[in-house]
């Protein structure tokens, strides 16, 4: 009999929390009103949307009217970058990094095609961008710094606050893709000095296809979806009330348990790394601390990540190698490449991301399986590596 799924891919997505689902269900049923309608059913729906907006604002230290609902992280990122460029056409230089999510990178590329100049910061070997490099790149004509708060492949937390404070002192706008961070670590837009911030519900036990963009009061941004007057005329389209309610419920739940959950997950990650290092040589951690409590990226020397991923999948273990593209195949990671890994090291790396319901017993089973599969895939290959690379380091 096949054992139950061991899911260690929470950075890709999380299951919807039963309490979140319960909060959403009435809005698929009796409370189906269009939140823009001027009658009782509409008022019931807009009240729920407003409550969710308040929950999102509270969770990230924002004002209610600074929150705009979107279809998720991708839309929030695209809108932040291209909407700001449209609203402030005089400045044509942006600063970002080589390790951003494609939702940021593709928007930047679109701006490049329109004559914008982008400085892409390179991370160091630990996966972190150097604030000094960011400051050096700032110019008179710099419009925006867009830097992710935590990387989706390594979990490494970026020095966003240091960089944003410097940017703001020079009148440069700031955007952070906080899709991996919100719900995992405390996030406050004032502390970070963020003018714009992207978040997505399905990364913290909310439903897929809903997120938000925070836009600080006073910042201009061009509307993204044209149509109705929803979201103060900036993002048209009938409100997805059930999903928005789910986002509100999920972010409240995450905020109320964030410290405790973070500690539990950090211990679980540590447990995994310790157990694995005791039993498997020639494994190296890609990226260091500070990092998200639950995400870790490992390089298994002498093994192809796609083979290992498939072997684990056959045993019902879910992990991740790079980012899955639309066809389901795996693209070599641009993040690990930017950190200086060789193509073969990139092709030997896997991400494990734990979740609130994972247990040490599950980690034990995963370690047993990993040891067996890695040893089998390595066969009698000789691994000629410097001795210091033969164990897990951070
Ligand atoms: N940004 C980061 C850092 C992500 O990890 C993701 C999702 O993987 C996204 C943006 C896109 O979010 P969504 O799936 O909600 O469009």
């Amino acid at each position: 009999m096949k054992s139950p799924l061991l899911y260690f891919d929470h950075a890709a997505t999380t299951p919807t929390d039963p309490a979140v689902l319960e909060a959403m269900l009435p809005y698929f049923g009796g409370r189906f009103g269009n939140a823009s309608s001027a009658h009782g059913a509409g008022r019931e729906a807009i009240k729920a949307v407003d409550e969710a907006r308040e929950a999102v604002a509270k969770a990230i230290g924002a004002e209610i009217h600074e929150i705009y609902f979107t279809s998720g992280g991708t839309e929030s990122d695209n809108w932040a970058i291209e909407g700001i460029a449209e609203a402030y056409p005089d400045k044509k230089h942006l600063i970002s990094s080589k390790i951003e999510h494609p939702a940021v990178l593709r928007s930047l590329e679109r701006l490049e095609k329109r004559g914008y100049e982008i400085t892409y910061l390179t991370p160091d070997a630990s996966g972190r961008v150097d604030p000094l490099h960011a400051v050096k790149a700032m110019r008179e004509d710099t419009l925006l710094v867009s830097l992710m708060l935590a990387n989706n492949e390594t979990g490494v937390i970026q020095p966003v606050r240091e960089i944003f404070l410097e940017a703001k002192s020079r009148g440069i706008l700031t955007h952070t893709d906080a899709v991996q961070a919100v719900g995992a670590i405390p996030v406050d837009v004032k502390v970070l000095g963020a003018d714009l911030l992207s978040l997505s519900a399905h990364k913290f036990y909310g439903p897929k296809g809903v997120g938000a963009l925070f836009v600080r009061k006073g910042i201009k941004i061009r509307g993204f979806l044209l149509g109705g007057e929803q979201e103060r005329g900036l993002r048209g389209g009938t409100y997805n009330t059930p999903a928005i309610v789910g986002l509100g419920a999920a972010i409240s739940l995450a905020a109320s348990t964030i410290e405790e959950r973070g500690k539990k997950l950090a211990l679980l990650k540590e447990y995994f790394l310790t157990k694995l290092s005791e039993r498997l040589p020639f494994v190296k951690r890609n990226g260091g601390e500070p990092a998200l409590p639950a995400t870790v990226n490992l390089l298994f020397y002498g093994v192809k990540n796609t083979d290992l991923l498939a072997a684990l999948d056959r045993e019902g273990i879910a992990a991740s190698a790079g980012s899955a593209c639309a066809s389901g195949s795996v693209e070599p990671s641009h993040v690990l490449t930017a950190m200086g890994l060789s193509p073969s090291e990139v092709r030997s790396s896997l991400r494990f991301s734990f979740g609130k319901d994972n247990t040490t017993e599950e980690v034990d089973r995963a370690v047993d399986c990993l040891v067996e599969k890695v040893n089998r895939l390595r066969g009698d290959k000789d691994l000629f590596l410097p001795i210091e690379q033969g164990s897990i380091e951070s």
Side-chain angles (χ1 to χ4, degrees):
M1 197 182 77
K2 207 170 171 179
S3 48
L5 178 72
L6 291 185
Y7 188 76
F8 302 121
D9 198 15
H10 293 81
T13 197
T14 55
T16 304
D17 191 287
V20 170
L21 183 60
E22 201 181 317
M24 292 169 67
L25 284 176
Y27 297 90
F28 287 111
R31 298 185 196 165
F32 62 88
N34 183 326
S36 304
S37 295
H39 48 56
R43 281 192 295 278
E44 188 173 52
I46 196 68
K47 183 167 172 283
V49 168
D50 286 344
E51 282 168 7
R53 198 186 306 281
E54 197 175 340
V56 173
K58 188 165 171 233
I60 61 167
E63 306 291 327
I64 294 168
H65 289 101
E66 295 175 324
I67 304 300
Y68 295 81
F69 292 118
T70 66
S71 63
T74 301
E75 183 185 328
S76 296
D77 285 343
N78 287 185
W79 186 14
I81 290 164
E82 299 184 44
I84 286 294
E86 292 287 342
Y88 298 89
D90 294 342
K91 293 186 173 179
K92 299 269 192 238
H93 175 241
L94 287 84
I95 299 171
S96 189
S97 80
K98 290 185 180 165
I99 57 169
E100 298 299 314
H101 189 272
V104 165
L105 294 175
R106 298 293 95 80
S107 267
L108 293 172
E109 285 163 14
R110 199 143 64 178
L111 290 184
E112 279 182 295
K113 289 201 185 97
R114 291 172 44 198
Y116 282 77
E117 200 185 325
I118 320 286
T119 303
Y120 294 96
L121 304 169
T122 306
D124 61 18
S126 77
R128 206 161 181 263
V129 159
D130 185 339
L132 283 179
H133 293 170
V135 173
K136 264 200 203 141
M138 293 176 190
R139 313 192 315 211
E140 281 288 301
D141 64 338
T142 306
L143 169 63
L144 180 76
V145 180
S146 179
L147 184 63
M148 68 196 333
L149 187 46
N151 183 265
N152 45 302
E153 293 190 31
T154 61
V156 172
I157 296 172
Q158 301 302 317
V160 165
R161 182 168 186 267
E162 290 99 300
I163 294 173
F164 282 9
L165 291 183
E166 185 61 34
K168 290 186 78 69
S169 75
R170 298 168 186 237
I172 298 170
L173 298 174
T174 56
H175 164 248
T176 186
D177 172 346
V179 167
Q180 290 289 332
V182 169
I185 54 170
V187 172
D188 185 300
V189 289
K190 291 194 187 77
V191 172
L192 289 175
D195 294 317
L196 301 110
L197 177 145
S198 307
L199 61 88
S200 179
H202 75 101
K203 305 292 184 180
F204 48 87
Y205 303 93
K208 292 164 188 49
V210 64
L213 179 65
F214 154 79
V215 184
R216 186 178 299 289
K217 197 172 148 203
I219 305 288
K220 288 187 288 180
I221 187 158
R222 199 193 71 163
F224 196 66
L225 292 187
L226 308 180
E229 283 305 303
Q230 290 89 354
E231 300 303 77
R232 279 144 277 154
L234 295 180
R235 203 276 183 183
T238 300
Y239 284 106
N240 185 352
T241 312
I244 291 170
V245 167
L247 165 59
I251 209 163
S252 300
L253 206 60
S256 66
T257 51
I258 206 153
E259 303 281 347
E260 174 199 335
R261 217 183 252 183
K263 276 186 201 143
K264 182 204 142 173
L265 286 168
L267 284 174
L268 200 63
K269 181 170 83 176
E270 211 40 59
Y271 181 79
F272 170 67
L273 292 175
T274 308
K275 289 281 161 191
L276 200 60
S277 69
E278 283 167 5
R279 295 183 48 199
L280 201 60
F282 302 114
V283 181
K284 185 168 176 269
R285 181 169 172 189
N286 295 320
E289 296 289 336
L292 294 176
T295 303
V296 66
N297 197 301
L298 296 176
L299 163 47
F300 297 90
Y301 284 98
V303 172
K304 242 174 93 183
N305 57 9
T306 44
D307 293 344
L308 181 54
L309 203 61
L312 292 175
D313 184 39
R314 281 194 291 276
E315 301 298 324
I317 297 177
S320 162
S323 28
C325 75
S327 66
S329 69
V330 174
E331 297 286 320
S333 158
H334 67 286
V335 174
L336 301 181
T337 303
M339 285 162 60
L341 273 74
S342 69
S344 89
E345 289 174 329
V346 172
R347 282 195 301 272
S348 295
S349 296
L350 279 193
R351 176 187 71 188
F352 297 84
S353 46
F354 302 99
K356 67 182 175 70
D357 297 321
N358 286 138
T359 61
T360 47
E361 290 72 32
E362 287 181 337
V363 169
D364 285 337
R365 276 163 52 206
V367 168
D368 284 347
C369 190
L370 261 172
V371 170
E372 187 211 317
K373 303 294 173 198
V374 169
N375 282 333
R376 195 170 51 76
L377 289 167
R378 281 178 180 163
D380 45 17
K381 235 181 265 166
D382 280 331
L383 296 170
F384 295 109
L385 292 164
I387 200 72
E388 65 274 14
Q389 291 191 343
S391 63
I392 296 172
E393 331 143 350
S394 28

